[in-house]
Amino acid sequence: GDSVTQMEGPVTLSEEAFLTINCTYTATGYPSLFWYVQYPGEGLQLLLKATKADDKGSNKGFEATYRKETTSFHLEKGSVQVSDSAVYFCALRVQGAQKLVFGQGTRLTINP
Amino acid sequence: DGGITQSPKYLFRKEGQNVTLSCEQNLNHDAMYWYRQDPGQGLRLIYYSQIVNDFQKGDIAEGYSVSREKKESFPLTVTSAQKNPTAFYLCASSITSNTEAFFGQGTRLTVV
């Protein structure tokens, strides 16, 4: 079946550090890929997406590239801020499938 | 303002009581979803609906029920048959079942 595996957290970094959160997937068909962010006590917000191989999604300084050859969609940011502290979810949706499949989430804490 | 509204934000119920969580969207989206989130875990799909008067079970539908009488509304009832109902419940919608989903702010249900 379809599945998403994220790097285990929690991840703790200092402000202005470089961030990578790894995400790999298994899909029965051709997936679209997403990163969502969840701030404490809130719902999920779509951070970025990519719908085909080699697409790069970007938003608010975050980037992720759809790598079909390695079945990966790693999230990166060059210089993190305290306000980036949240839980990040990688997700996929296979064309024609009814649901989003989520990874388990990675909790990120940025210290000043 | 367009969006998804879940109410209430916090809900307390006694064991053995049914409780209904509200989800309303004014985005004119066809598809709506209910997910359950437990601490430190990803999201699990409870029910989804692609169109009015139609819905399907997700991965963990036992002990839950839904209705979709109006396009903008998709209420979730947590019944007394749900063995472990205390969780964070998230409602989402998408334009179709093939596009990204947008989430409400969630309802935290505590059963005592």
Side-chain angles (χ1 to χ4, degrees):
Chain A
D2 303 325
S3 67
V4 175
T5 302
Q6 294 181 228
M7 68 185 283
E8 289 211 17
V11 174
T12 302
L13 297 171
S14 298
E15 205 165 21
E16 298 183 3
F18 184 86
L19 168 71
T20 300
I21 301 178
N22 290 338
C23 171
T24 57
Y25 66 88
T26 303
T28 52
Y30 199 99
S32 294
L33 302 172
F34 309 90
W35 276 102
Y36 283 84
V37 58
Q38 184 179 35
Y39 298 101
E42 297 186 8
L44 275 67
Q45 299 175 24
L46 180 65
L47 182 59
L48 54 84
K49 67 177 183 179
T51 58
K52 60 183 188 295
D54 299 325
D55 267 2
K56 177 185 281 189
S58 61
N59 186 27
K60 300 181 182 179
F62 290 91
E63 293 182 340
T65 301
Y66 188 142
R67 300 285 188 202
K68 189 178 177 184
E69 62 276 13
T70 54
T71 62
S72 65
F73 192 54
H74 304 321
L75 183 68
E76 296 182 337
K77 186 175 185 183
S79 176
V80 291
Q81 306 300 313
V82 172
S83 57
D84 294 327
S85 299
V87 180
Y88 292 81
F89 290 92
C90 185
L92 69 81
R93 171 176 265 160
V94 172
Q95 235 174 15
Q98 308 306 326
K99 64 177 183 179
L100 280 166
V101 176
F102 287 87
Q104 75 273 29
T106 301
R107 181 175 299 278
L108 173 67
T109 301
I110 307 299
N111 294 320
Chain B
D1 252 79
I4 303 169
T5 301
Q6 290 187 242
S7 60
K9 191 170 175 66
Y10 299 96
L11 190 55
F12 295 87
R13 278 295 181 268
K14 289 185 179 179
E15 199 169 331
Q17 289 182 335
N18 291 358
V19 60
T20 298
L21 282 59
S22 170
C23 177
E24 304 277 331
Q25 55 100 358
N26 61 4
L27 300 167
N28 201 32
H29 286 176
D30 284 322
M32 295 188 75
Y33 313 83
W34 275 105
Y35 285 88
R36 171 180 170 139
Q37 185 179 22
D38 293 286
Q41 296 189 30
L43 279 67
R44 294 183 290 169
L45 183 66
I46 305 172
Y47 268 98
Y48 62 94
S49 169
Q50 292 179 269
I51 55 171
V52 175
N53 292 322
D54 184 56
F55 50 83
Q56 286 82 41
K57 293 181 180 180
D59 300 318
I60 56 164
E62 185 175 349
Y64 300 98
S65 66
V66 293
S67 63
R68 185 87 186 276
E69 296 175 2
K70 298 185 297 183
K71 187 175 185 177
E72 58 270 23
S73 179
F74 192 41
L76 174 74
T77 297
V78 184
T79 75
S80 56
Q82 169 49 234
K83 298 289 183 236
N84 187 19
T86 294
F88 191 50
Y89 290 88
L90 288 158
C91 179
S93 70
S94 59
I95 296 172
T96 68
S97 56
N98 277 325
T99 56
E100 66 267 26
F102 296 88
F103 284 80
Q105 293 298 296
T107 293
R108 185 166 300 283
L109 172 64
T110 302
V111 175
V112 295

